[in-house]
Amino acid sequence: MLSYQHSFHAGNRADVLKHACLHLTLRLMRRGQGEIRYVETHAGRGLYDLRSAAAQKNREYETGIAVALAAKGAGPDLAAYLSFVRRFNPTRAPRWYPGSPVIAAGLLAPHDRIDLAELHPQEHAALEDTFGDDPRVRIAKANGFELAAKLRPGAAARTALLIDPSYELKSDYLAVVDLAERVRAADPRAAILVWYPVMADGREGVLLRRAESRLPEAAVLQAVWAAPDPKARGLVGAGLLAVGLPRQHARRLRALSDTISRVFAPPAGAAASGPDD
């Protein structure tokens, strides 16, 4: 939807899960041979100023990336992601938060390709400013679902696809699984990450049930930081479906998501933090 701007939520706990797992996935894919094509359905602006008025409205980064950066014993895969974030933040307090397009650009090689879809006019313009003349990057002002549905295997490229709508439309909970299934059928080598929110009212259950029947091989990765409450609203966690990844890679991702759950878990004896907006 054109109303959604991620700046209001940049660097929150759900972002940390999504971006840390994407960082690990691309690092593991980079060990192979040949070109990588990274595709994202809802790219946003790529780099977020945490001092902007939008980010300061809810200050969700304070319980997200700021907590992760201060955590002790993060483990090697989370530590590698946090090291990437620190490259944008020479001071201790985080100011700049790299979104998934910037993570991809920072990890991929000069011969790789990056295809980004973003419909929101302001976010699209900011995305173009972020990447300037990077020859690897193509930015489409297009429906990301439609762009991804056209993916076909290239002669050399291995595809990494991130499907991450805002879920303002309830239909997205089923559409993301259908899209992943369609891309997987067209390109069996594609590595697909489907991000989804874990909501207080459990509405993501329809997505998980659809995935269980349509994508039974998908690894389910989740980080949860508050107890579900059918009467509450908002995020209590976040998850990813990992499709088309080798089993050993899926195991690494699951261990990483478990680590992130522990990082955001309230201290023993403390009340769990409430749902995010």
Side-chain angles (χ1 to χ4, degrees), residues 55-232:
Q56 288 293 310
K57 182 176 181 180
N58 297 316
R59 303 173 73 92
E60 291 184 23
Y61 64 89
E62 291 184 344
T63 54
I65 190 60
V67 170
L69 287 167
K72 305 296 184 183
D77 289 328
L78 181 56
Y81 162 68
L82 295 175
S83 178
F84 182 89
V85 174
R86 288 190 182 97
R87 287 165 45 186
F88 296 83
N89 296 283
T91 60
R92 189 166 187 176
R95 163 73 187 273
W96 298 100
Y97 185 74
S100 38
V102 170
I103 292 171
L107 289 177
L108 298 185
H111 60 268
D112 292 329
R113 297 161 53 195
I114 299 172
D115 288 292
L116 308 172
E118 178 54 55
L119 269 176
H120 193 288
Q122 288 175 258
E123 301 301 279
H124 182 271
L127 191 61
E128 290 189 323
D129 288 342
T130 297
F131 286 103
D133 297 324
D134 189 328
R136 300 172 300 171
V137 180
R138 297 185 300 185
I139 301 170
K141 196 172 185 180
N143 183 306
F145 284 174
E146 294 177 1
L147 179 74
K150 297 175 183 177
L151 287 175
R152 297 294 182 271
R158 292 169 297 141
T159 296
L161 170 63
L162 176 61
I163 304 172
D164 61 336
S166 65
Y167 292 91
E168 288 188 302
L169 294 175
K170 290 183 179 180
S171 58
D172 285 348
Y173 285 91
L174 298 180
V176 294
V177 177
D178 295 344
L179 176 59
E181 181 186 29
R182 182 171 178 177
V183 172
R184 183 77 170 139
D187 184 0
R189 294 197 305 161
I192 305 168
L193 295 178
V194 180
W195 177 85
Y196 63 91
V198 177
M199 304 298 290
D201 61 9
R203 72 186 71 171
E204 74 284 351
V206 296
L207 181 155
L208 295 172
R209 289 189 291 274
R210 175 71 66 96
E212 187 176 8
S213 63
R214 300 285 187 87
L215 298 166
E217 77 280 14
V220 180
L221 320 167
Q222 282 194 172
V224 178
W225 48 80
D229 179 355
K231 299 179 182 178

